[in-house]
Amino acid sequence: MKAALDQHPAVGARIDDEALNPPFTRVRMDPMQRDDLTVLHEFLPVTVGAAMGIHKEVFDKVHGWDVSATPLVDIDLSWRLQLAGVPLTFVPGAVLRYRYRTGLRATYRQKRNYAIGDVFVMKRFRPMGAPRRPVASTLRGWGYVVRSGVKVRDRRSALLFMDHLGSAVGRFQGSIRYRYLF
C-alpha cells in the first residue's frame, strides 16, 4: 500500500475472501476487488474502506467520510473522489483477508443495511450520472428471494436466502426512508 501510495493519491487493495471463509459462505456474495476494483451499480469503481489507502490532502479535498452515507461511506467516498478527478488505483500486491458473516441473522442484517445504503448513494449520485435501476431488475430481486426461499435445504442455501431477503427488504425500506424508488 505504501509503495502504491507513493505513486497514486488513492488506492484499493486486493480482497481475498477465500482464506478465512468456508466454501458455503462464499456462494452468497460476488467477490469484490479480487482482480480489479469493482464497478458498483454500473456507475464507477469503488474500493472497500478496509482496503483503501488515501493521501490526507486528497481525503480533506473531498471532505472525508460522510457519515450520513452509513454504512456505505466507502462507496460514497470512492465516487466523490472520482467525480472530483481523483483516480482510484487497484493494488493487487496489497491483500486484505475478508471474513464473511456466518450467522443467518447477521447475514440478513448486514445485507439489509447495505441495501438501505444502496438507495441513499444511488439517490445522491443520480444527478451525477448514476443510472436508475430498471423496475425489471427489482422484480428479479424479489424473484430471487422466492426461489432461494423454497430451495433452503442446508446452511449454504439458508445463507443465500438471507442474503437475497436482506437485500430486497433493505431496498424497499431505503426507498421509503429516502423517498427514492430504487
Side-chain angles (χ1 to χ4, degrees):
M1 290 292 276
K2 167 74 171 84
L5 284 167
D6 287 343
Q7 308 270 325
H8 306 283
V11 300
R14 181 172 68 83
I15 295 178
D16 172 1
D17 69 340
E18 294 178 346
L20 301 177
N21 296 294
F24 74 89
T25 64
R26 295 193 309 262
V27 298
R28 61 188 182 86
M29 295 183 80
D30 292 330
M32 288 190 68
Q33 286 176 235
R34 184 177 283 169
D35 302 311
D36 202 351
L37 296 177
T38 302
V39 175
L40 197 61
H41 299 305
E42 300 175 13
F43 184 46
L44 293 169
V46 298
T47 181
V48 173
M52 180 186 287
I54 185 169
H55 289 222
K56 183 182 182 331
E57 63 273 5
V58 173
F59 184 78
D60 292 342
K61 173 184 173 184
V62 296
H63 309 292
W65 303 113
D66 180 354
V67 295
S68 65
T70 299
L72 300 183
V73 293
D74 46 2
I75 306 311
D76 177 74
L77 179 60
S78 293
W79 287 354
R80 284 187 292 117
L81 285 167
Q82 292 167 91
L83 291 169
V86 178
L88 291 177
T89 303
F90 182 62
V91 185
V95 179
L96 170 75
R97 290 200 169 99
Y98 187 87
R99 185 183 311 274
Y100 291 135
R101 285 165 174 74
T102 57
L104 298 177
R105 183 177 294 159
T107 297
Y108 171 82
R109 213 174 19 248
Q110 180 186 42
K111 292 303 286 198
R112 189 197 68 211
N113 289 338
Y114 282 170
I116 291 170
D118 273 343
V119 178
F120 177 86
V121 295
M122 292 307 287
K123 179 180 180 180
R124 171 176 276 181
F125 290 94
R126 177 83 177 115
M128 294 144 212
R132 183 173 279 286
R133 186 170 191 221
V135 172
S137 182
T138 298
L139 294 175
R140 274 194 307 274
W142 282 101
Y144 293 143
V145 171
V146 172
R147 281 193 302 280
S148 63
V150 298
K151 293 180 180 178
V152 172
R153 303 276 187 272
D154 54 17
R155 186 74 169 179
R156 176 181 180 260
S157 58
L159 281 169
L160 187 61
F161 172 66
M162 296 310 263
D163 184 83
H164 291 307
L165 180 64
S167 292
V169 169
R171 288 182 177 138
F172 179 75
Q173 289 177 326
S175 294
I176 293 169
R177 180 182 298 177
Y178 298 116
R179 295 186 175 105
Y180 180 79
L181 185 60
F182 185 88

